[in-house]
């Protein structure tokens, strides 16, 4: 859950009301601002519902049906939108969405995300996890969204959520939200300034997604040998592209061969996984090592880094398997996200399989290989069901064929992909910095600490 801050920490210091400011309830705002309840300027506050028949009535075209995953911070995402028929839409006429509505997620992990419906949007509908806030002209929709996304709004959302009986907001709580209200002219100026930062953030996010797609394509071509690490020194771009097209069409270019895993460079080897990795079970510990968790996004990490609190029976921990730095781990969800790599020493559930290389390898090469989509599909072909989910056993994993280039080429390939990773990491750090800067700007503009008309 997001950190809940005292309201007195959100606005100006309540112990000192500066000249030109006034104290209203727990808030200090500029003297010419008002503090209102959202209900005072709202025309409509309400959520939708799940249509009769649920997901069975969803369509690939028709009236857009907006769910919580479509409502992002400051942006309505229609890329993965689903649709309902005109008939169902008319049955739910009380929750029709129109341009310039404010949409707010009111339940679940995305609670508090909100956006303005674009003016180019025609009409749609919403489910029960999304709330429509339609306001009078005295309140700028863009200004309202920024208030709701700022510490002022998010703190009220989290306080109401924490005080409720379930993880969600009700309409009365939303109606009672406190909204600092400058003149409409100042609202628009503030919204325009923050909109500039939103555009910068959006462009950075799009660049990151573009780089991720490029990395994905690069990984596939390098890890399958469609392109070689030194191709640019030997061939033109046209010659490289011609070779890739041949391989994709099933033809074998010069210098390549057919193998158990497809067309690969002649100098590459293909080995069964058991000739590269051993099933390593080591329970020589006292249960005092750090407990590790397998995550699809972050690899093997200390469980303490997860936002969960699990109590363990110390006696049961002695049955856990020891993981060393550089080990690979097959977890209960490897069929979804591939095999994880560990940078940590610790212990994991005995249900996991620990892989330790016994052939000479570059760890990063197989770390990338085990995350490729086509490899994960091959893992899916050898899963079996167990009580708590699905698992890939070492015996079946060991029979899978894996590419085995020379160690030198493994190093070259992983180094190139690593450079792409570093670029994406730097871009993400820049994105975080922009978001933090915008957050600071919101804090001073939306509280009136800095006035845009001065």
């Amino acid at each position: 859950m997001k950190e809940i801050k005292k309201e007195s920490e959100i606005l100006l210091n309540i112990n000192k009301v500066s000249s030109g400011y006034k104290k209203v309830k727990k808030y200090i705002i500029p003297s010419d601002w008002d503090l209102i309840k959202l209900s005072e300027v709202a025309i409509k506050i309400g959520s939708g519902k799940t249509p009769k028949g649920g997901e069975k009535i969803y369509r690939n075209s028709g009236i857009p049906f907006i769910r919580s995953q479509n409502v992002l911070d400051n942006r309505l995402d229609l890329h993965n939108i689903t649709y309902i028929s005109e008939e169902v839409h008319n049955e739910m006429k009380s929750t029709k969405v129109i341009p310039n509505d404010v949409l707010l997620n009111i339940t679940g992990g995305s609670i508090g995300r909100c956006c303005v419906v674009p003016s180019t949007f025609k009409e749609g509908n919403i489910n029960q996890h999304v709330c429509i806030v339609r306001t009078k002209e005295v309140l700028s929709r863009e200004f309202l969204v920024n208030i709701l996304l700022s510490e002022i709004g998010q703190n009220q959302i989290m306080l109401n959520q924490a005080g409720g009986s379930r993880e969600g907001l009700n309409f009365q709580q939303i109606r009672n939200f406190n909204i600092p209200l400058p003149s409409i002219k100042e609202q628009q100026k503030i919204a325009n300034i923050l909109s500039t930062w939103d555009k910068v953030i959006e462009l950075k996010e799009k660049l990151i997604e573009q780089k991720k797609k490029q990395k994905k394509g690069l990984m596939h071509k390098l890890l399958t040998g469609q392109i070689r690490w030194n191709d640019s020194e030997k061939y033109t771009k046209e010659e490289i592209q011609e070779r890739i097209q041949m391989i994709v069409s099933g033809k074998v270019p010069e210098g390549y061969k057919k193998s158990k895993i497809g067309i690969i460079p002649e100098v590459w080897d293909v080995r069964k996984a058991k000739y590269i990795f051993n099933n390593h079970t080591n329970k020589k510990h006292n249960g005092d090592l750090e407990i590790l968790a397998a995550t699809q996004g972050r690899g093997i990490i200390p469980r303490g880094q997860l936002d969960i609190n699990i109590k363990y029976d110390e006696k049961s921990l002695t049955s856990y398997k020891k993981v060393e730095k550089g080990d690979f781990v097959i977890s209960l969800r490897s069929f979804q996200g591939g095999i994880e790599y560990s940078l940590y020493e610790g212990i994991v559930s005995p249900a996991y399989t620990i892989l330790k290389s016994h052939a000479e390898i570059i760890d990063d090469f197989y770390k990338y290989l085990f995350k490729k989509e086509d490899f994960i599909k091959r893992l899916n072909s050898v899963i079996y069901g167990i009580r708590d989910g699905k698992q890939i056993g070492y015996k079946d994993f060991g029979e899978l064929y894996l590419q085995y280039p020379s160690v030198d080429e493994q190093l070259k390939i992983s180094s190139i992909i690593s450079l792409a990773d570093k670029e994406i990491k730097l871009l993400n750090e820049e994105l975080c910095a922009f978001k933090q800067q915008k957050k600071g700007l919101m804090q001073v503009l939306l509280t009136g600490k800095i006035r845009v008309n001065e």
Side-chain angles (χ1 to χ4, degrees), residues 239-289:
E239 289 171 331
I240 295 170
Q241 190 60 37
E242 183 181 356
R243 183 178 68 214
I244 293 172
Q245 291 300 324
M246 288 182 66
I247 293 173
V248 170
S249 65
K251 299 176 182 178
V252 183
E254 183 180 352
Y256 284 73
K257 64 183 178 183
K258 287 189 175 181
S259 73
K260 296 283 187 179
I261 58 170
I263 299 170
I264 60 172
E266 282 184 346
V267 294
W268 282 24
D269 193 7
V270 172
R271 300 183 183 182
K272 285 186 176 181
K274 64 183 178 182
Y275 297 124
I276 304 175
F277 296 96
N278 280 329
N279 180 7
H280 187 74
T281 301
N282 178 3
K283 297 184 180 181
K284 294 180 181 179
H285 60 86
N286 298 319
D288 56 349
L289 293 174

Side-chain angles (χ1 to χ4, degrees), residues 26 37 75 78 112 180 205 219 225 297 309 313 371 388-389 413:
K26 295 180 181 180
K37 297 289 186 185
R75 182 162 61 91
L78 300 177
E205 287 174 338
M219 278 180 62
N309 185 21
D313 179 358
K371 284 293 183 177
D388 295 322
I413 290 171

Side-chain angles (χ1 to χ4, degrees), residues 146 190-198 438 441-442 445-446:
N146 279 303
I190 291 171
N192 288 338
I193 291 170
L194 295 175
S195 174
T196 301
W197 284 85
D198 290 331
K438 188 208 169 188
L441 192 59
M442 289 171 74
L445 289 178
L446 296 171

Side-chain angles (χ1 to χ4, degrees), residues 135-160:
T135 65
K136 301 174 184 177
E137 292 300 322
V138 69
L139 178 60
S140 159
R141 285 81 174 180
E142 291 77 14
F143 181 82
L144 174 60
V145 165
N146 279 303
I147 287 287
L148 293 175
L149 290 177
S150 73
E151 290 185 355
I152 301 168
Q154 292 296 303
N155 193 68
Q156 293 182 79
I157 289 168
M158 293 304 135
L159 282 171
N160 279 299

Side-chain angles (χ1 to χ4, degrees), residues 378-406:
R378 292 170 63 203
L379 280 183
N380 271 288
S381 68
V382 297
I383 59 174
Y384 61 88
I386 59 174
R387 181 172 58 86
D388 295 322
K390 297 177 179 178
Q391 176 66 294
I392 297 102
Y394 173 77
K395 182 179 179 181
D396 292 316
F397 164 77
E399 294 299 313
L400 290 176
Y401 285 94
L402 303 176
Q403 45 266 65
Y404 187 79
S406 70

Side-chain angles (χ1 to χ4, degrees), residues 279-283 285 291-294 300 303 312 316-323 328-335 339 347-355 383-395 397:
N279 180 7
H280 187 74
T281 301
N282 178 3
K283 297 184 180 181
H285 60 86
I291 301 171
L292 304 177
I300 302 296
R303 187 170 286 276
Y312 295 91
S316 70
L317 294 180
T318 58
S319 67
Y320 275 42
K321 296 178 180 178
K322 184 177 179 180
V323 175
F328 290 88
V329 179
I330 303 178
S331 74
L332 297 178
R333 292 293 176 264
S334 287
F335 69 94
I339 297 174
I347 53 177
V348 293
S349 165
Y352 293 176
T353 299
I354 315 301
L355 302 175
I383 59 174
Y384 61 88
I386 59 174
R387 181 172 58 86
D388 295 322
K390 297 177 179 178
Q391 176 66 294
I392 297 102
Y394 173 77
K395 182 179 179 181
F397 164 77

